[in-house]
Amino acid sequence: LAWLLVDEGVGGILTVLSSVGLNIFWIPAFRVVPICLDAYGWRQLFAKDKKPWFADLAKARWLAESVNTLFPVGEVGGHILRARIIGKKSKAGNEAGGTVMVDFTIGLLTQIVLTILGLALAKRFRELAVGIPGLLWWFKVEGRDQNSPQPDKG
């Protein structure tokens, strides 16, 4: 954050934020849905008599993602944090760490499956995969040409 302030200056950052306007509030709103879905899935891993409150799991999940995003902890520190938070707030105790490991493993396996599926689809529809970036580039070039002054044809 300090580097960003020094490199871009406060004025540059405020200019970008003013151009975004109130749309900046869509960012956390967009993140709430997957975090809540992840928290719900994580809650299912606990024993019925030891299930923590959903709100506690959602907060722990949000904090974990924040730590993993903001700090250089190798995407591990947040998982340790959420295990500790839930371990202390609920009667799950040691079970919290185990559920975090299972939740992380399921997420990792899901990413692997979806990556393989995406690569298979990209190979199958190779023309489309190559064509979309080219099409976007063409629109960008065409849009730039249309906005530039046109020579007088008269």
Side-chain angles (χ1 to χ4, degrees):
L1 186 58
W3 172 81
L4 183 63
L5 286 171
V6 170
D7 191 51
E8 294 296 326
V10 175
I13 294 171
L14 290 177
T15 302
V16 170
L17 287 176
S18 68
S19 69
V20 172
L22 294 177
N23 288 327
I24 198 161
F25 292 110
W26 284 108
I27 296 170
F30 172 75
R31 288 301 303 148
V32 166
V33 174
I35 287 173
C36 287
L37 289 173
D38 287 341
Y40 179 77
W42 181 24
R43 189 168 192 265
Q44 303 314 307
L45 298 175
F46 287 90
K48 284 188 178 190
D49 59 330
K50 294 182 180 180
K51 286 189 185 216
W53 291 98
F54 174 78
D56 290 338
L57 291 170
K59 287 177 201 172
R61 189 76 191 204
W62 190 297
L63 286 170
E65 287 197 20
S66 299
V67 166
N68 285 342
T69 301
L70 295 173
F71 298 112
V73 291
E75 295 286 324
V76 175
H79 299 297
I80 294 169
L81 176 68
R82 70 180 168 125
R84 293 207 47 171
I85 289 171
I86 296 303
K88 288 185 180 211
K89 288 193 88 160
S90 72
K91 49 190 168 188
N94 293 336
E95 190 177 345
T99 61
V100 167
M101 289 302 301
V102 171
D103 182 51
F104 179 79
T105 304
I106 290 170
L108 182 64
L109 292 174
T110 302
Q111 287 293 325
I112 290 170
V113 168
L114 291 176
T115 300
I116 291 170
L117 179 63
L119 290 172
L121 287 172
K123 184 177 181 195
R124 172 73 173 93
F125 298 104
R126 184 179 29 226
E127 316 76 49
L128 183 62
V130 172
I132 290 174
L135 187 63
L136 292 174
W137 178 83
W138 183 80
F139 278 125
K140 181 179 178 184
V141 170
E142 282 297 308
R144 187 174 345 131
D145 289 342
Q146 290 175 358
N147 293 334
S148 62
Q150 298 294 324
D152 187 22
K153 295 183 180 181

